[in-house]
Amino acid sequence: MADNTLLFDGARCIGCKRCQMACSAQRGLKGSAEDASSVTAPVAPWAPDVDGNALMALTYLEQAAGEKDFQYTFGRKSCMHCRDAACVRVCPTGAMAVDEETGFVRNRADRCVSCGLCETVCPFDVPRINEAQRRVVKCDGCADVVASGEAPLCVGACSAGALLFGERADLLEEGQQRVAALQEQGFADACLFGATEQGGLRVLEVLKYGLAGVRGEVLADTGSNKTVQAVELTGPVSLGVLGVLTVGGIVLFGYGMKQPKR
Ligand code: SF4
Ligand code: SF4
Ligand code: SF4
């Protein structure tokens, strides 16, 4: 299996949203190629969400830094392509699966029954059911594009050097070098996120100001997720049925499950 990975560098991102526009435009979802040429840097904090129509959302955090100063952090909300993905472990139909050719996590439309289990367990709160398509729609790492030898579209759209695509080992090294450079510049909390979490992520992030405010608490490993444990104990098909009932608002299932987003 290919060891493809994306590196997002929040220290280099300028918030232009060209990545988001390129993603949406090629999917026929929100946004368009025209939007991409006219966007300017944002002037206010915002935290948009993925919603089954937008597969990736650029986020923005403004924090006070001293009495009169502010620091700005751009982030990226989308599938992190966990190598030990909770969504894959609980999917009762095999719809959510690792693409053997690219290594990215994909959702097969013909197998998804909209049970919502993947929404419930994802530590990054990513999968969303597209009501029109009646299935989960999420970033698939541009698997078809990658399989044809090209970089994912969001990467190709970034001219700021904030998105890179390549072998995981190379990007781990690149990310660590960028973090070291930031620390030398005085950003003591700078870190690389994704090296080990959830079996190691296929989306690595350089976080200039560290995890605070950007990444919430994520369980170190997928096996500690109580819902994943419950599914593996009870069997994914039976819990998949419960998940379907949950979608209809009939059952509130225990084990600290999140409610699927609609
Ligand atoms: S980020 Fe969520 S949806 Fe993506 S692979 Fe990980 S568990 Fe699955
Ligand atoms: S909604 Fe259910 S069937 Fe569809 S991908 Fe998620 S877990 Fe699998
Ligand atoms: S990898 Fe492809 S599907 Fe995923 S966010 Fe980038 S452009 Fe969108």
Side-chain angles (χ1 to χ4, degrees):
M1 185 193 299
D3 210 10
N4 292 311
T5 294
L6 275 73
L7 174 72
F8 172 72
D9 186 344
R12 297 201 187 187
C13 176
I14 57 173
C16 70
K17 296 172 75 175
R18 283 190 169 83
C19 52
Q20 183 178 313
M21 299 296 180
C23 176
S24 293
Q26 64 100 13
R27 301 284 172 149
L29 301 170
K30 288 179 182 172
S32 69
E34 287 74 34
D35 293 336
S37 63
S38 62
V39 290
T40 54
V43 293
W46 89 104
D49 204 357
V50 287
D51 63 1
N53 277 303
L55 309 185
M56 187 266 288
L58 196 76
T59 61
Y60 173 87
L61 179 70
E62 180 185 78
Q63 289 171 301
E67 272 188 26
K68 292 184 180 171
D69 209 0
F70 292 92
Q71 65 188 34
Y72 300 92
T73 310
F74 295 106
R76 177 187 150 101
K77 179 160 183 180
S78 191
C79 180
M80 303 296 276
H81 296 284
C82 316
R83 294 199 302 176
D84 183 8
C87 60
V88 172
R89 281 170 72 156
V90 301
C91 179
T93 65
M96 199 70 90
V98 174
D99 180 66
E100 286 298 319
E101 198 167 352
T102 63
F104 291 125
V105 176
R106 302 186 78 171
N107 181 32
R108 278 188 54 172
D110 58 336
R111 292 192 182 177
C112 180
V113 294
S114 302
C115 71
L117 272 176
C118 55
E119 290 184 88
T120 302
V121 298
C122 173
F124 300 104
D125 192 27
V126 165
R128 297 282 186 273
I129 289 176
N130 180 306
E131 296 294 349
Q133 297 184 32
R134 298 182 65 80
R135 69 168 181 112
V136 160
V137 177
K138 72 162 195 71
C139 162
D140 63 358
C142 285
D144 291 339
V145 177
V146 168
S148 71
E150 304 287 327
L153 294 165
C154 53
V155 176
C158 180
S159 56
L163 277 170
L164 300 178
F165 172 71
E167 288 281 320
R168 194 161 187 280
D170 295 342
L171 291 186
L172 276 170
E173 193 178 331
E174 175 70 23
Q176 280 153 358
Q177 285 173 4
R178 290 188 180 197
V179 165
L182 284 167
Q183 289 173 342
E184 275 174 26
Q185 291 164 32
F187 299 101
D189 294 331
C191 66
L192 185 67
F193 181 75
T196 58
E197 292 80 4
Q198 313 298 301
L201 308 176
R202 291 198 186 280
V203 178
L204 302 169
E205 293 179 320
V206 173
L207 302 176
K208 186 175 178 180
Y209 302 107
L211 297 174
V214 183
R215 282 284 159 218
E217 210 173 303
V218 174
L219 291 170
D221 68 287
T222 310
S224 304
N225 184 318
K226 289 202 176 347
T227 308
V228 172
Q229 289 173 0
V231 170
E232 290 180 337
L233 194 68
T234 317
V237 174
S238 56
L239 284 183
V241 171
L242 279 177
V244 171
L245 295 176
T246 304
V247 169
I250 300 166
V251 170
L252 289 175
F253 186 61
Y255 289 102
M257 264 185 169
K258 295 179 290 181
Q259 279 291 88
K261 300 268 172 56
R262 292 291 182 274

